Amino acid sequence: MAQIIDGKMISQQIKDELKERVAKLKEEGKEITLAVVQVGKDPASSVYVNNKKKACAYIGINSLSYELEETITEKELLELIYELNDNPVVNGILVQLPLPSHIKEDKIINAINPKKDVDGFHPQNVGSMCIGERGFVSCTPAGVIQLLKRSNISIAGKECVVIGRSNIVGKPMSLLLLQEDATVTIAHSKTKDLKEVTKRADILVVAVGKPKFITKDYLKKGAIVIDVGIHRDENNKLCGDVDYDSVIDEVSAITPVPGGVGPMTIAMLMNNCVESALNI
Ligand code: NAD
């Protein structure tokens, strides 16, 4: 029987550990404050932002909310970022993506003080991760590593295949697995014979952005499958990039959707917020 990797339970463990750390910091007179910036009223973004604010409240982190009009200019948004960079009360800055098309996301991310970049998207933090130095690590891939470690799944020496090469999931995921001494292959939209590649995987991380894309034909028997995707299927039910029903008898462990990687992203964001107050 496959091990179901319980992201809900593991993320709760992490949040409880952080809650304790925050309480201790408070006793030392240290408050943690996250600035949450949302542009426009995209319903999916509003759900993510609200979940992040709820997690802050649970752990004891203050959140400052900036709900901005869709029509805000890039210059005005940059001015807010500079203001938050200079505000000594603010430890972390989170700008909910995506931004409206008239604002260049790169420009906004690059403007955030790397020491307040709790999403781990600033090039300085990406560079630090690349060379294994201290810095903020992108939350979803960091969450995947925690899921594996806290489920007692060893990574060192394993054949790991990551499908996807995005800056926020695929690339940092591959680097983190490499840091854990895995042998890592990155597959993407131009990979020839994807099945031949994925069948080599002891651990397959799927961040392809296509609902139920991975079926049992892509797997080696006994593989561990981490499903990063999140979609709604034809019945409006949440599903991942992996066809769960097709693979469940082939895998030795798998993350469900919902309740797998998703809750870990927020837990790792909270972890980065706590680190931000410790001045990494
Ligand atoms: P993306 O669209 O930026 O990247 C998808 C990647 O898949 C690309 O690098 C592309 O090369 C690759 N790809 C596309 N078609 C392919 C194919 N046929 N064969 C092989 N590779 C192919 O997506 P992303 O931002 O990396 O997100 C991936 C998924 O993870 C999405 O479903 C997204 O919703 C989800 N996601 C979940 C969380 C979470 O917290 N659970 C966080 C971020 C993203």
Side-chain angles (χ1 to χ4, degrees):
M1 262 255 289
Q3 175 188 355
I4 311 299
I5 301 174
D6 189 345
K8 227 172 146 183
M9 190 259 293
I10 296 172
S11 67
Q12 188 60 45
Q13 263 174 13
I14 293 174
K15 284 191 282 184
D16 287 336
E17 288 164 17
L18 291 170
K19 194 174 179 170
E20 265 182 46
R21 276 177 78 188
V22 170
K24 284 207 183 95
L25 286 170
K26 281 190 178 171
E27 277 169 22
E28 295 162 18
K30 214 166 201 154
E31 288 281 333
I32 307 177
T33 301
L34 173 68
V36 183
V37 180
Q38 184 182 358
V39 181
K41 291 188 170 64
D42 172 62
S45 291
S46 299
V47 170
Y48 289 131
V49 161
N50 279 336
N51 287 342
K52 288 167 187 176
K53 286 195 242 170
K54 264 194 220 155
C56 281
Y58 179 78
I59 289 164
I61 294 173
N62 308 315
S63 56
L64 292 178
S65 214
Y66 295 84
E67 288 169 17
L68 309 171
E69 292 298 326
E70 180 97 24
T71 50
I72 189 172
T73 65
E74 187 176 272
K75 188 165 172 278
E76 286 166 332
L77 183 55
L78 281 170
E79 274 158 14
L80 172 64
I81 301 293
Y82 297 140
E83 209 180 291
L84 296 172
N85 281 346
D86 290 340
N87 184 342
V89 169
V90 171
N91 304 101
I93 302 170
L94 180 145
V95 179
Q96 184 64 42
L97 302 179
L99 292 172
S101 55
H102 66 278
I103 299 176
K104 289 201 180 73
E105 284 181 1
D106 287 2
K107 216 164 168 183
I108 303 302
I109 289 167
N110 293 358
I112 297 173
N113 178 345
K115 293 196 167 184
K116 298 189 178 189
D117 166 43
V118 284
D119 261 333
F121 293 161
H122 190 284
Q124 187 173 312
N125 284 317
V126 176
S128 296
M129 181 188 54
C130 243
I131 56 174
E133 273 189 4
R134 227 178 133 87
F136 293 116
V137 174
S138 179
C139 302
T140 303
V144 170
I145 297 290
Q146 283 300 311
L147 276 181
L148 292 169
K149 287 190 170 171
R150 289 174 184 246
S151 305
N152 294 319
I153 293 170
S154 66
I155 306 172
K158 294 267 168 69
E159 285 284 343
C160 293
V161 175
V162 178
I163 316 181
R165 56 174 162 184
S166 70
N167 287 341
I168 60 166
V169 187
K171 279 184 205 160
M173 187 71 254
S174 312
L175 286 166
L176 293 181
L177 289 166
L178 184 63
Q179 255 166 37
E180 297 294 331
D181 297 324
T183 302
V184 184
T185 304
I186 308 173
H188 49 77
S189 53
K190 298 284 189 295
T191 296
K192 284 184 191 150
D193 200 350
L194 183 63
K195 284 181 186 159
E196 185 269 322
V197 175
T198 55
K199 279 184 169 188
R200 296 203 298 260
D202 300 314
I203 300 176
L204 179 65
V205 182
V206 189
V208 72
K210 296 194 158 113
K212 301 186 186 178
F213 180 81
I214 292 296
T215 57
K216 65 177 181 199
D217 304 342
Y218 286 82
L219 303 180
K220 165 165 96 178
K221 181 102 188 145
I224 293 157
V225 175
I226 306 293
D227 188 353
V228 181
I230 181 134
H231 312 275
R232 293 223 171 246
D233 70 8
E234 57 285 358
N235 304 315
N236 206 29
K237 257 183 77 188
L238 285 175
C239 71
D241 287 349
V242 176
D243 185 347
Y244 189 89
D245 293 337
S246 159
V247 306
I248 189 67
D249 292 331
E250 298 297 309
V251 300
S252 61
I254 187 166
T255 57
V257 178
V261 174
M264 293 302 289
T265 300
I266 293 191
M268 299 320 289
L269 173 72
M270 295 299 108
N271 182 65
N272 283 351
C273 289
V274 173
E275 296 288 321
S276 73
L278 302 173
N279 258 336
I280 63 165

